[in-house]
Amino acid sequence: MMTRWQHLSSGSADRSQEGGYVAVMTAMLLLVFMGFAAFAVDVGHWYFVGQQEQRAADAAAMAGVTYLPGDKETAFTTAWNYSKINGFENGVSATVVTPAVDTQPTRLRVTVSQTVSNFFGSLMGVPTTKVARTAVADYAGPVPLGSPCNEF
């Protein structure tokens, strides 16, 4: 005769009704973890493209600001050229480079934005994402050195 304690500790009758539970839970969690991994890949790609855009915007702003405040058109053209040298040509492959004079006439603001394709986001209904970075450069003119009058 089995005691109550021996019957509960053996558990052979209870386990027969739990067949496949672990496999189903593993499959469900695997889908969730794959979704997180896919999101991490897309976000990493956004940061990578944003880093490249920031470098292009910085170079474009620094190169173009030297023509301000006198020659705005040359400043803009130089900014477009330097962003093109750094891989972001205005109007090519969903890239927009926008140079503009900032709040002061000696400041040049350059915004580089690009629409990137998502690797796994398209499976979730988000095929593209717009990534944009901005840089502002301020031109400080030459500083006169020495005394205004050359006398002792």
Side-chain angles (χ1 to χ4, degrees):
M1 176 172 186
M2 270 172 110
T3 63
R4 178 174 165 84
W5 176 256
Q6 289 172 341
H7 177 69
L8 291 176
S9 66
S10 67
S12 62
D14 294 333
R15 286 189 190 137
S16 65
Q17 297 174 358
E18 294 182 8
Y21 174 75
V22 173
V24 171
M25 289 303 293
T26 302
M28 288 173 47
L29 285 175
L30 184 64
L31 289 174
V32 171
F33 288 141
M34 290 297 282
F36 285 144
F39 184 68
V41 168
D42 282 341
V43 170
H45 185 243
W46 300 340
Y47 276 105
F48 178 69
V49 171
Q51 196 175 38
Q52 291 175 330
E53 285 179 345
Q54 187 65 55
R55 289 179 184 156
D58 289 342
M62 292 294 289
V65 76
T66 58
Y67 295 98
L68 290 181
D71 193 1
K72 195 165 61 168
E73 284 74 25
T74 305
F76 292 174
T77 303
T78 304
W80 282 318
N81 288 337
Y82 272 80
S83 66
K84 180 181 175 182
I85 290 169
N86 285 286
F88 294 93
E89 186 175 357
N90 191 28
V92 175
S93 68
T95 302
V96 178
V97 180
T98 311
V101 176
D102 204 35
T103 56
Q104 296 177 3
T106 58
R107 285 189 178 178
L108 181 66
R109 174 182 297 271
V110 177
T111 301
V112 177
S113 64
Q114 184 178 33
T115 302
V116 295
S117 298
N118 296 328
F119 297 113
F120 297 101
S122 58
L123 300 175
M124 307 288 255
V126 185
T128 59
T129 302
K130 184 177 179 181
V131 179
R133 295 293 185 267
T134 300
V136 178
D138 191 5
Y139 179 71
V143 177
L145 298 175
S147 173
C149 57
N150 293 326
E151 295 178 15
F152 281 105

